[in-house]
Amino acid sequence: MKFTDEQVMRYVDGEAGLELKTKIMKALEKKDKELEEQVFRFQLANTVMLKHSKEKKEMPELFYAKLRRKRLEKEGSLAKSSLSAYSFKNFGQLAFAASIAAFGLLFAYQSQQTNNENLAREFYSSFKADNRSDDFLETIKLANVNDFIEKSTKMKGVVKGTGNPRTLSNKIDGDLDITVYLQKGFSYRLENGDFAVIGSELGIDLQGLNSGLVTLIYQDSTGEKQVLLDRKPIKKGERKSLGMYEIVGPRGLDYIQYIYSSDDGSTEVQSDIIKFTILENGANFMGDAAKDFMSVPASLFSRTVEVQLGDKIIDESVLSFAEDVPDSNEEIKKADTSIWQKDGKFYIDVNDNGYANIISYQNSDNDGWNISIDRNSNRVIDGFGLVSVDQNGKYSFRWLLDENEDGVVDRVAIDNNGDWKTDKAYPLYPKGSSFSF
């Protein structure tokens, strides 16, 4: 007599009615080899799934490999075994419940795997939003240049609408070096995207490759504060030093705009902006950043997914990005990481220690993404990153580092190419420090 898989499964799980149970037992007593193998298959599935439910970190591939191996080991002795070898007394309600729970865990695992992959893709794509702050600065730059052109035209007594109109050029003739001085003998060069603290001073050096007029404007990005630092003629090859200019705040994004107009009859006006972020010296900056490095949810399994940002696969090496890091060609120790999402924030556990090491979230203006990081895995924030992506899809990171975990930024690390390695680093004065020039 033939029995369906559903009937045999109900028998093995102890859920078969009396009539079905009696028929199967009689067939087994007659040494029905096909039925014995069918029953064994469900018994084996229950055994393995019960084990799987206790070992949640097993991978689906390992699960199927173990099932197949056990099947092959038992298959050889199947024909020689007596009915007593297939005692199903222990596979009653408990085994049935364990089987359902285990299959539920496997289904949840596969769902979680898909969810992790979706989250990893969403994490990557979320950083590709337009950088509105750059667009805003470009608008300000053009407005200032137009104002400069208007004023310089009036200074020369040229009637509007006559002569050759001036245009904005993308090239820059000459050098503009800005140095941040923390104290005598302690300084660093300020470049686009850098940081500076209130109380430090700026020194500016100019060198002209051609003769012309140079204008420097200091302004914050909100347009509330604008100062004409200087406007003076400069000769070809001449170097001039301006400053010192003290940074008085408030904290936020500021910039210095360079405008150059040549005396050689060129109608092109050149301009560039160096933007930098002002921090309050000694302020508890990290206190405002996301710092809940929560534990990995119980629903996540050890086999997770590759998480990518730019061209970089996020792995354990990112925790030492501001120190001596492995060579870029070195084999990644652990490519798969756990990723989950809560309250709009992405959480990533890169070293499989059971807690998030990275928290990614939108900034307060919702025009960019920030990253909080726990580099020494003690669940205390010690790094804060600002992520930007240019029009070519190139990533860059600006990291504020808190080396003693007191909430105050001690050091800056700049990663210009998005490989999570430090291209430039400089100190900021910690809490309680003072400036002496």
Side-chain angles (χ1 to χ4, degrees):
M1 182 177 180
K2 297 287 185 180
F3 297 92
T4 66
D5 284 344
E6 181 181 0
Q7 289 175 321
V8 175
M9 182 178 70
R10 287 166 56 196
Y11 171 79
V12 171
D13 291 334
E15 293 296 311
L18 180 60
E19 181 180 355
L20 176 61
K21 181 178 179 181
T22 301
K23 290 181 179 180
I24 291 179
M25 290 181 67
K26 286 182 178 180
L28 289 171
E29 288 175 357
K30 295 179 180 180
K31 307 294 184 182
D32 185 334
K33 300 301 180 183
E34 183 177 351
L35 178 60
E36 286 180 351
E37 182 176 344
Q38 196 175 6
V39 169
F40 171 74
R41 186 164 63 247
F42 282 97
Q43 179 197 27
L44 184 59
N46 275 350
T47 303
V48 176
M49 289 307 293
L50 180 62
K51 182 176 186 297
H52 184 72
S53 68
K54 294 179 180 179
E55 297 179 10
K56 294 182 180 180
K57 291 189 175 183
E58 291 211 22
M59 299 159 61
E61 287 88 347
L62 291 178
F63 165 70
Y64 290 116
K66 286 187 176 183
L67 179 61
R68 182 174 182 274
R69 186 174 67 250
K70 289 179 180 292
R71 170 68 185 272
L72 292 175
E73 290 173 353
K74 295 292 184 181
E75 204 168 46
S77 58
L78 183 62
K80 301 177 183 179
S81 300
S82 64
L83 179 61
S84 60
Y86 305 104
S87 176
F88 306 125
K89 292 185 296 182
N90 296 328
F91 290 87
Q93 293 285 347
L94 179 61
F96 178 76
S99 176
I100 294 298
F103 275 106
L105 284 169
L106 181 59
F107 176 77
Y109 181 99
Q110 293 169 335
S111 298
Q112 185 65 55
Q113 181 79 3
T114 302
N115 186 49
N116 285 353
E117 292 170 351
N118 291 338
L119 283 177
R121 286 191 291 268
E122 186 179 341
F123 171 77
Y124 183 20
S125 62
S126 64
F127 290 90
K128 296 185 177 181
D130 293 334
N131 194 330
R132 283 178 279 173
S133 62
D134 284 345
D135 294 338
F136 186 49
L137 286 179
E138 185 66 19
T139 300
I140 292 177
K141 181 173 77 170
L142 291 173
N144 286 339
V145 169
N146 288 335
D147 182 62
F148 166 79
I149 293 174
E150 185 76 18
K151 289 180 180 178
S152 63
T153 300
K154 290 181 179 179
M155 288 171 55
K156 293 186 177 182
V158 178
V159 179
K160 188 174 182 180
T162 64
N164 295 325
R166 290 182 177 257
T167 58
L168 179 62
S169 172
N170 292 324
K171 68 177 183 177
I172 295 293
D173 287 335
D175 293 330
L176 173 63
D177 292 333
I178 302 175
T179 303
V180 179
Y181 294 93
L182 298 173
Q183 65 177 18
K184 188 176 181 179
F186 193 8
S187 63
Y188 59 92
R189 181 175 178 178
L190 185 73
E191 297 177 321
N192 195 48
D194 280 356
F195 297 86
V197 292
I198 296 173
S200 58
E201 295 186 350
L202 300 180
I204 301 174
D205 288 323
L206 299 170
Q207 183 176 20
L209 299 184
N210 291 299
S211 298
L213 181 67
V214 173
T215 301
L216 290 179
I217 300 173
Y218 186 100
Q219 182 171 323
D220 65 18
S221 59
T222 64
E224 296 177 357
K225 174 182 61 180
Q226 186 181 61
V227 178
L228 180 65
L229 292 181
D230 217 324
R231 175 178 286 168
K232 59 178 57 180
I234 191 169
K235 296 179 180 179
K236 182 177 180 179
E238 182 182 10
R239 178 174 291 276
K240 291 188 176 182
S241 296
L242 308 177
M244 300 287 192
Y245 303 103
E246 182 180 356
I247 295 177
V248 296
R251 72 180 188 178
L253 183 66
D254 288 19
Y255 69 84
I256 292 178
Q257 184 172 355
Y258 169 90
I259 302 176
Y260 173 76
S261 176
S262 176
D263 282 344
D264 61 3
S266 172
T267 60
E268 291 185 329
V269 176
Q270 302 168 19
S271 182
D272 197 11
I273 280 182
I274 296 179
K275 63 179 181 179
F276 53 99
T277 303
I278 304 298
L279 302 177
E280 184 178 351
N281 184 35
N284 191 332
F285 183 87
M286 298 297 183
D288 298 332
K291 54 184 178 180
D292 178 21
F293 295 98
M294 61 180 290
S295 60
V296 178
S299 61
L300 290 178
F301 290 74
S302 63
R303 182 189 179 220
T304 51
V305 294
E306 286 188 351
V307 180
Q308 185 174 352
L309 187 54
D311 296 328
K312 171 70 174 177
I313 301 296
I314 306 301
D315 68 334
E316 191 172 356
S317 69
V318 305
L319 298 181
S320 56
F321 67 88
E323 303 168 5
D324 293 331
V325 295
D327 184 79
S328 58
N329 294 323
E330 185 172 324
E331 183 179 355
I332 294 176
K333 297 179 181 179
K334 179 180 179 296
D336 289 347
T337 59
S338 299
I339 182 170
W340 65 100
Q341 195 172 23
K342 181 181 178 182
D343 299 331
K345 299 182 178 70
F346 291 98
Y347 293 81
I348 304 176
D349 174 15
V350 298
N351 61 359
D352 199 25
N353 72 339
Y355 291 88
N357 311 102
I358 296 174
I359 309 174
S360 175
Y361 52 98
Q362 278 192 302
N363 60 25
S364 57
D365 296 326
N366 293 323
D367 63 356
W369 284 78
N370 299 332
I371 293 180
S372 294
I373 194 165
D374 170 22
R375 289 175 290 155
N376 58 1
S377 300
N378 66 346
R379 299 188 292 284
V380 177
I381 182 173
D382 51 31
F384 176 82
L386 294 93
V387 186
S388 60
V389 188
D390 65 17
Q391 295 179 344
N392 298 319
K394 178 184 175 182
Y395 283 75
S396 61
F397 299 92
R398 297 184 295 149
W399 295 102
L400 298 171
L401 307 178
D402 177 11
E403 306 294 14
N404 59 359
E405 298 181 343
D406 65 349
V408 178
V409 179
D410 306 308
R411 192 160 64 100
V412 170
I414 306 295
D415 170 14
N416 290 317
N417 59 3
D419 63 355
W420 292 70
K421 294 184 180 181
T422 302
D423 300 316
K424 173 184 178 181
Y426 51 87
L428 292 177
Y429 264 53
K431 185 177 181 179
S433 63
S434 59
F435 299 96
S436 177
F437 297 98

